[in-house]
């Protein structure tokens, strides 16, 4: 009596979005990355096509960050002060794409400028052949200046630009449209807000094939369950055919985890927290792995060892199921 | 599978006599389906219908209880595939595997260390749930001694990994007085293992490589009289785990397939080269009932315990603390005053930090409906008015000799308004992150 395992039949699927452009396509990237396209829940290959693997990015800063954990400073070494070298090191560590974040100030303390942002992006494009995401500082006015310059500098490269938020997306979307890029649509852990912002951004005329949504990640112990469930709900809605939830999902467990005490602090913490470095990497990877299971398409990490561990996970999960 | 109101109605007398307290049998049936009434309220329901209704209302995944000495863990009885649909109820047990091939002293040392392990997460004390003692030596006397050694240092529930009846009996003898899980029966030994489990009245794990043979085995064993079963679907790496555990959960919930309606057990340490921690994390999120770890490493256990806590939090109820005035390190009239919200994670981030710093301090916890600082601020639940009100009703004014209050750096924008609301008070903007509070107090709090 062979068992009949209940299968779900889905009406919808996630859109495919391609990051990066090669020479033939008007860019300079050595390869492109296509994400999305899922017609089934995460890794249930027997229920529908899952054409693309979860992709892993490493975060690189435009300048040496002041507030990163010493563990990260140690592992990246000298490269941490030079975005081009850092991107190269991230590529060597096995990243699928580079997630470059801009800082409000330059290394000497002066405010960041469009000219500097251009130069940084140029360096990173030269340092690596990987597809690129460039994310702003989080300060709306400054980001509008910097990212317009970045969009022009990287014209044709099909970079992912962010962060589009409900209060600040018009300038960014316009710059992305004018220069053939993608945008990241970020909302605070809410299914309806995710949909709404995708609608607003799409209304400006940018095709849905160029929008990636970021539903906001909480770190393990600091609200991961909210993001996790919002992602599961978004993916279920996408499969049920709700068009505006059918964007691939990007998550940033690296950023979230490395700011919490468990990862940041090595001394004066309870002994039951265990070895600092292993704990930090476990924090980042258990957060990331949980989000992969909830439906993440693009995962941004900070530590190369985390990337290595996640690589084994996504490779195994991507393996098509053996015939039953 | 739970019956619908209409299906239940068909099993009722359909006389509308009203004795159940409802105007019609149908109305009563609807309440039963919604679990807002109990069947015994109807005196006229037939024995046959009663049996049918009871069978249908048995949980689709059986609840299995293991007990130690004064300790216990319950697993199973889950009702949903996704936590947002309702909640996950019974946190999967985390057990540590120990082997009887270790010398008794070594075993005791390992068990004692792991037994003592505990970590505080938002005021909740977390630790391992028990030990899985394996008869790796194949020698019943050795195995009995090993189980006794573990029990001499731990009162937690046990799993006895003993694949042959003589070993199982030896282990059970040493485990007398507790209710361990016997692990495991398979196609070759199930009859004798079932007999041992039945006699000892303990739950039995059933292991098979395919779900078909697993289902066949559980039916045979249930017929042989063992009701409390745990499924060991012999999961391998990340993908095979996900596929099998999802299939079992779906069969139990969506198809009401009784032969697989039991909690599961997994061994993430033997996962085809997968990281034990990451595979265990997957098992927590996706459908394990008991998880047996091979390694004891606080750096891996702490995140797993927190993940389990997070995934099993009821999505309808954010974990919160009672608003009010909290004292940290016996504060006096000169001690600093801080304000925060009543979201558990926020409150503990702050209070742990202050406590650890050694600073005596007063902490006013405002009623922000269980939200974090910025979430509450964005939702209008942590504004100047609410903070001022909380400070006033806390009675702190009579306890301190100053009028300075420190607000979270994340809501620095509130300081102007708060000065208006709290006339005569000096509003100090603290750091953004709680980790920096000690340094901030040292630099900024002049007595
Ligand atoms: C989890 C989360 C939620 C959860 C709520 C969880 C909860 N119970 O609070 C949910 C999904 C429900 C949610 C909802 C919303 N959220 Co929200 N959410 C988050 C998220 C991801 C994490 C918040 C968190 O838990 N942090 C952890 C806790 C511990 O941090 P904390 O409270 O700030 O405490 C730290 C410090 O402030 C400091 N501290 C605390 N107290 C004190 C006191 C003193 C004296 C000092 C010195 C320091 C200090 O110590 C702590 C540790 O360092 C953040 C984004 C992020 N990554 O931060 C967004 C975020 C807070 N949310 C945001 C928003 C806008 C919302 C919504 C309004 C969205 C909407 N329109 O629906 C709603 C509001 C709620 C509602 N209307 O019901 C925004 C706020 C933006 C802003 N600056 O205004 C954020 C920042 C996301 C973003 N970037 O847009 N959210
Ligand atoms: S008591 Fe029983 S028979 Fe009478 S109305 Fe209620 S359900 Fe119907």
């Amino acid at each position: 009596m062979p068992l009949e395992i209940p299968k779900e039949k889905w009406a919808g699927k996630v859109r495919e979005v391609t990051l990066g452009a090669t020479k033939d396509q008007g860019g300079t990237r050595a390869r492109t990355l296509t994400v999305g396209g899922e017609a089934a829940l995460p890794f249930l290959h027997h229920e529908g096509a899952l054409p693309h693997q979860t992709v892993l990015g490493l975060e690189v800063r435009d300048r040496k960050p002041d507030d990163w954990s010493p563990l990260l400073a140690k592992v990246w070494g000298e490269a941490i002060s030079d975005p081009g070298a850092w991107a190269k090191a991230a590529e060597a560590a096995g990243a699928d794409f580079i997630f470059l974040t801009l800082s409000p100030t330059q290394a000497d303390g002066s405010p960041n400028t469009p000219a500097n942002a251009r130069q940084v992006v140029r360096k990173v494009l030269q340092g690596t052949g990987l597809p690129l995401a460039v994310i702003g500082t989080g300060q709306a006015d400054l980001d509008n200046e910097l990212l317009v310059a970045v969009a022009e500098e990287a014209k044709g490269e099909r970079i992912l630009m962010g962060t589009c938020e409900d209060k600040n997306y018009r300038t960014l979307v316009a710059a992305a449209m004018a220069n053939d890029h993608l945008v990241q649509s970020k909302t605070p852990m809410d299914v309806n807000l995710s949909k709404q912002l995708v609608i607003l951004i799409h209304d400006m005329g940018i095709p849905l094939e160029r929008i990636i949504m970021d539903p906001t990640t909480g770190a393990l112990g600091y609200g991961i369950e909210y993001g996790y469930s919002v992602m599961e709900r978004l993916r279920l809605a996408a499969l049920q055919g709700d068009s505006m939830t059918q964007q691939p999902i990007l998550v940033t467990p690296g950023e979230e985890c490395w700011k919490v005490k468990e990862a940041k602090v090595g001394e004066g913490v309870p002994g039951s927290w265990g070895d600092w470095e292993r704990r930090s990497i476990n924090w980042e990877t258990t957060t990331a792995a949980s989000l992969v299971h909830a439906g993440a398409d693009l995962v941004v990490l900070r530590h190369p060892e985390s990337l290595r561990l996640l690589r084994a996970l996504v490779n195994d999960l991507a393996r098509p199921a053996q015939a039953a | 599978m739970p019956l619908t109101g209409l299906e239940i109605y068909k099993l009722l007398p359909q006389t509308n006599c009203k004795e159940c307290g409802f105007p019609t049998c149908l109305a009563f049936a609807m309440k039963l389906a919604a679990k807002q009434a109990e069947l015994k309220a109807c005196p006229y329901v037939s024995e046959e219908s009663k049996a049918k209704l009871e069978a249908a209302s048995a949980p689709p995944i059986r609840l299995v209880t293991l007990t130690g000495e004064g300790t216990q863990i319950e697993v199973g009885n889950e009702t949903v595939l996704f936590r947002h649909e309702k909640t996950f109820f019974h946190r999967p047990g985390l057990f540590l595997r120990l082997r009887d091939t270790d010398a008794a002293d070594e075993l005791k040392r390992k068990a004692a260390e792991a037994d003592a392990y505990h970590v505080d997460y938002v005021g909740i004390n977390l630790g391992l749930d028990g030990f899985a003692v394996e008869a790796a030596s194949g020698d019943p006397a050795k195995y009995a001694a090993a189980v006794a050694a573990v029990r001499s240092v731990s009162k937690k529930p046990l799993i006895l990994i003993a694949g042959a009846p003589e070993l199982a009996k030896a282990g059970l003898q040493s485990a007398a007085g507790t209710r361990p899980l016997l692990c495991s029966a398979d196609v070759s030994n199930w009859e004798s293992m079932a007999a041992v489990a039945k006699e000892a009245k303990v739950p039995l794990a059933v292991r098979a490589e395919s779900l078909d043979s697993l289902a066949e085995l559980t039916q045979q064993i249930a017929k042989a009289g063992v009701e409390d079963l745990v499924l060991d679907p012999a999961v391998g790496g990340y993908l095979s785990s996900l596929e099998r555990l999802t299939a079992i959960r779906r069969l139990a919930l969506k198809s009401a397939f009784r032969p697989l309606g039991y909690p599961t057990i997994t061994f993430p340490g033997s996962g085809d080269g997968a990281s034990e921690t990451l595979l265990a994390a997957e098992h927590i999120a996706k459908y394990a009932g008991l998880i047996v770890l091979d390694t004891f490493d606080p750096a891996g256990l702490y995140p797993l315990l927190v993940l389990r806590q997070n995934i099993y939090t009821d999505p309808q109820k954010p974990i919160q603390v009672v608003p009010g005035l909290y004292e940290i390190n016996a504060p006096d009239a000169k001690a600093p005053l801080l304000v925060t919200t009543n979201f558990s994670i926020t409150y503990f981030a702050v209070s742990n930090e202050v406590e650890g710093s050694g600073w005596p301090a007063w902490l006013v916890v405002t009623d922000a409906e269980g939200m974090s600082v910025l979430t509450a601020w964005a939702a209008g639940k942590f504004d100047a008015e609410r903070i001022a009100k909380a400070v006033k009703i806390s009675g702190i004014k009579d306890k301190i000799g100053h009028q300075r209050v420190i607000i979270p750096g994340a809501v620095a924008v509130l300081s102007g308004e708060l000065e208006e609301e709290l006339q005569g008070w000096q509003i100090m903007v603290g750091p953004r992150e709680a980790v920096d509070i000690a340094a901030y107090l040292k630099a900024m709090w002049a007595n």
Side-chain angles (χ1 to χ4, degrees):
Chain A
M1 51 128 225
L3 270 179
E4 206 179 309
I5 296 167
K7 276 193 189 178
E8 300 284 353
K9 283 202 201 71
W10 301 110
K13 64 175 192 156
V14 178
R15 290 192 177 83
E16 289 188 324
V17 173
T18 300
L19 179 64
T22 59
K23 214 160 162 200
D24 303 344
Q25 299 159 336
T28 62
R29 303 299 78 207
R31 55 169 296 199
T32 62
L33 273 186
T34 301
V35 293
E38 294 95 336
L41 284 170
F43 316 111
L44 300 183
H45 299 273
H46 55 281
E47 282 191 350
L50 299 169
H52 306 293
Q53 230 175 290
T54 314
V55 300
L56 307 175
L58 281 169
E59 184 175 349
V60 162
R61 288 286 175 127
D62 58 346
R63 51 160 283 208
K64 184 174 190 238
D66 300 324
D67 56 350
W68 278 31
S69 163
L71 294 175
L72 291 169
K74 188 181 80 186
V75 70
W76 290 114
E78 299 270 289
I80 204 164
S81 312
D82 174 352
W86 194 348
K88 205 179 206 143
E91 180 170 0
D96 295 315
F97 67 105
I98 302 296
F99 191 83
L100 171 68
T101 25
L102 305 177
S103 314
T105 56
Q106 302 186 42
D108 61 9
S110 64
N112 206 345
T113 62
N116 178 63
R118 276 179 194 268
Q119 209 186 8
V120 168
V121 166
R122 182 63 27 220
K123 268 194 198 159
V124 171
L125 287 170
Q126 281 161 0
T128 167
L130 296 179
L132 180 66
V134 183
I135 304 302
T137 64
Q139 300 177 9
D141 293 343
L142 182 59
D143 283 350
N144 289 343
E145 269 180 60
L146 299 180
L147 285 164
V148 169
V150 166
E152 286 169 11
E153 187 66 27
K155 187 174 176 69
E157 298 283 7
R158 218 177 157 89
I159 65 170
L160 171 65
M161 291 174 47
T163 298
C164 294
E165 292 180 286
D166 62 342
K167 290 197 194 68
N168 191 45
Y169 65 91
R170 298 184 159 273
T171 312
L172 262 59
V173 174
M177 284 193 332
N179 299 283
D180 299 325
H181 299 308
L182 318 177
V183 292
Q184 171 213 24
S185 166
K186 181 163 181 154
T187 43
M189 294 190 178
D190 184 289
V191 172
N192 290 323
L193 293 179
S194 279
K195 283 171 65 171
Q196 268 168 34
L197 189 56
V198 170
I199 294 170
L200 290 173
I201 289 175
H202 178 51
D203 278 351
M204 285 187 66
I206 194 166
L208 290 164
E209 286 66 31
R210 296 209 337 233
I211 304 175
I212 284 178
M213 60 185 181
D214 175 350
T216 302
T217 312
L220 176 62
Y222 296 82
I224 188 178
E225 65 272 31
Y226 295 95
Y228 178 90
S229 285
V230 166
M231 286 168 66
E232 289 201 326
R233 290 170 55 202
L234 280 168
R235 184 51 47 88
L236 285 165
L239 296 175
Q240 281 152 7
D242 185 346
S243 178
M244 292 299 144
T245 61
Q246 292 172 336
Q247 306 312 120
I249 296 177
L250 176 135
V251 293
T252 52
E255 178 188 345
E256 291 304 324
C257 290
W258 285 96
K259 65 180 187 207
V260 309
K261 186 168 179 184
E262 279 78 356
K264 229 175 160 178
V265 183
E267 280 165 27
V269 298
S272 54
W273 286 18
D275 175 78
W276 182 21
E277 185 158 20
R278 283 206 307 282
R279 172 180 79 240
S280 304
I281 291 168
N282 282 330
W283 216 265
E284 183 174 28
T285 52
T286 39
T287 304
S290 309
L291 301 176
V292 166
H293 285 298
D297 294 282
L298 305 101
V299 179
V300 186
L301 301 164
R302 281 191 175 173
H303 199 289
E305 175 62 11
S306 299
L307 187 114
R308 196 185 63 76
L309 287 161
L310 260 284
R311 178 67 67 200
L313 175 101
V314 297
N315 280 348
D316 187 39
L317 288 170
R319 199 180 59 205
Q322 271 111 29
Chain B
M1 196 175 298
L3 299 179
T4 63
L6 225 49
E7 285 162 337
I8 297 175
Y9 172 69
K10 290 188 187 139
L11 296 170
L12 294 177
Q14 303 177 16
T15 53
N16 302 335
C17 75
K18 302 187 175 58
E19 274 182 50
C20 55
F22 294 94
T24 61
C25 293
L26 184 60
F28 181 59
M30 292 299 175
K31 288 289 171 188
L32 280 178
K35 298 200 163 51
Q36 291 163 353
E38 287 197 45
L39 185 60
K40 56 176 189 281
C42 169
Y44 305 112
V45 61
S46 72
E47 284 306 317
E48 195 195 333
S49 293
K50 211 183 257 173
K52 277 191 191 154
L53 286 165
E54 268 159 16
S57 68
I61 299 174
R62 194 176 173 87
L63 184 73
V64 173
T65 307
L66 309 187
T67 57
E69 293 174 63
T71 55
Q72 72 160 35
I73 174 156
E74 295 182 324
V75 294
N77 201 6
E78 299 300 334
T79 59
V80 291
L81 280 154
F82 301 98
R83 60 186 291 283
H84 66 258
E85 294 174 324
K86 183 160 181 68
T87 186
F88 292 169
F89 291 96
H90 295 96
R91 293 177 295 138
L94 285 167
F95 283 67
L96 178 67
R97 189 198 313 241
L98 298 170
R99 294 187 169 84
D100 70 349
T101 41
D102 275 343
D105 284 353
E106 180 62 5
L107 253 184
K108 277 192 201 170
R109 188 194 62 74
K110 284 185 183 169
E113 184 189 16
D115 183 77
Y117 179 84
H118 65 97
V119 64
D120 175 273
Y121 169 66
V122 298
I124 311 168
N125 192 19
L126 304 176
L128 280 168
D129 297 291
F131 296 93
V133 189
E134 180 173 347
S137 70
D139 174 354
K142 245 188 157 172
Y143 187 49
V147 173
V150 173
R151 281 194 72 185
S152 73
V153 294
S154 173
K155 296 190 184 324
K156 294 186 195 289
L158 297 178
I159 295 174
L160 302 178
I161 307 182
E166 337 58 89
L167 294 169
K169 279 186 195 155
L172 282 166
Q173 218 149 45
S174 292
T178 70
R179 189 168 195 261
L181 170 69
L182 187 54
C183 198
S184 51
D186 59 28
V187 66
S188 66
N189 69 4
W190 71 266
E191 287 177 287
S192 52
M193 292 298 280
V196 175
K198 188 178 174 191
E199 202 199 319
K201 298 195 177 68
V202 297
L204 178 63
V206 185
R207 180 179 173 93
E209 296 279 339
S210 86
L211 297 188
D212 290 290
S213 23
L214 196 55
E216 233 161 90
L217 271 176
T218 59
Q219 291 175 80
Q220 286 167 320
I221 294 173
K223 258 196 220 119
V226 183
E227 291 189 320
D228 281 346
L229 301 180
V230 170
L231 308 172
D232 175 359
V235 298
Y238 301 113
L239 184 61
S240 84
S241 279
L242 184 72
E243 284 172 342
R244 288 193 201 172
L245 294 172
T246 305
I248 291 174
R249 177 68 74 96
R250 282 205 189 159
L251 279 162
L253 296 185
K254 298 234 158 184
S255 316
F257 184 62
R258 297 282 177 193
L260 295 182
Y262 301 98
T264 56
I265 184 168
T266 66
F267 300 86
S270 34
D272 294 347
S275 136
E276 182 174 38
T277 306
L278 291 190
L279 189 51
E282 176 182 307
H283 292 164
I284 287 172
K286 297 289 172 186
Y287 316 140
L290 293 162
I291 299 170
V292 179
L293 299 171
D294 278 347
T295 34
F296 172 71
D297 174 14
L301 189 52
Y302 176 34
L304 289 177
L305 289 165
V306 173
L307 181 67
R308 182 177 72 165
Q309 209 63 27
N310 290 168
I311 295 288
Y312 278 73
T313 296
D314 185 342
Q316 267 72 51
K317 298 182 205 132
I319 34 174
Q320 13 186 315
V321 295
V322 183
L325 179 64
Y326 287 75
E327 302 182 6
I328 303 173
N329 298 332
D332 60 13
K334 287 186 289 190
L337 169 66
L338 299 92
V339 287
T340 190
T341 74
N342 69 325
F343 182 36
S344 271
I345 303 176
T346 302
Y347 164 79
F348 282 102
V350 175
S351 66
N352 285 344
E353 215 46 66
V354 177
E355 198 179 314
S357 74
W359 274 82
W362 303 93
L363 183 60
V364 167
V365 175
T366 60
D367 182 359
E369 295 176 15
M371 285 187 247
S372 79
V373 169
L374 277 178
T375 311
W377 176 75
K381 308 291 179 195
F382 189 61
D383 52 17
E385 202 179 314
R386 285 199 178 218
I387 297 174
K389 191 171 147 214
V391 169
K392 282 176 193 155
I393 63 174
S394 71
I396 183 67
K397 221 175 149 201
D398 306 328
K399 300 191 164 145
I400 52 178
H402 61 81
Q403 289 203 16
R404 281 176 292 166
V405 55
I406 304 171
I407 62 171
V411 288
V413 289
L414 289 180
S415 56
E417 273 176 70
L418 197 52
E419 264 164 23
E420 302 281 311
E421 296 278 344
L422 282 175
Q423 289 289 337
W425 285 72
Q426 181 191 342
I427 312 301
M428 297 174 66
V429 176
R432 281 192 80 91
E433 301 293 339
V435 202
D436 302 317
I437 289 179
Y440 170 87
L441 288 176
K442 197 163 169 225
M444 306 295 291
W445 193 264
N447 273 318

